[in-house]
Amino acid sequence: MSGPKRLQNVYVVAERPAELHAFYESALGLQLKFRDQERWFQYSVGNTSVALACREEAAPATSGLVMVFEVEDFAAAQERIAGAGGEVLGIRDMGAHGAVLSLRDPEGNVVQLFKRAATPAP
């Protein structure tokens, strides 16, 4: 059984991500790594990422923090999630960025698994 490779990202579901970005940038000195308009602000922190996400980008989460673990395979993970009492909510294909599998743990917390897109053969 192969577990996650690493904690890929943690994001905050934000009502006003652009305003919150100004806070995190000035109060904590976070350096912006990636931005998707007013929907997603991502920062590098050590060897992981921290991000701010609008509700639409964060779906199915509606509030709080979401942990995102990088994995190599969704199929085995889906079986383990169901077998351990969790619920797979769906997979979102993000093209060249990869794909995200969203799940709920037995207490209803949203967690996501991230799988990198396959690298095209040369």
Side-chain angles (χ1 to χ4, degrees), residues 10 12 20-34 41-46 48-52:
V10 174
V12 176
L20 208 52
H21 162 64
F23 170 81
Y24 279 93
E25 190 173 52
S26 63
L28 299 180
L30 297 181
Q31 298 295 310
L32 190 63
K33 173 181 172 182
F34 172 78
F41 296 84
Q42 187 164 318
Y43 315 92
S44 288
V45 180
T48 193
S49 295
V50 174
L52 306 171

Side-chain angles (χ1 to χ4, degrees), residues 77-89 103-109:
Q78 289 183 57
E79 290 179 23
R80 291 192 312 268
I81 292 162
E87 174 189 7
V88 173
L89 302 173
L103 66 106
R104 284 196 197 281
D105 69 16
E107 289 196 8
N109 300 299

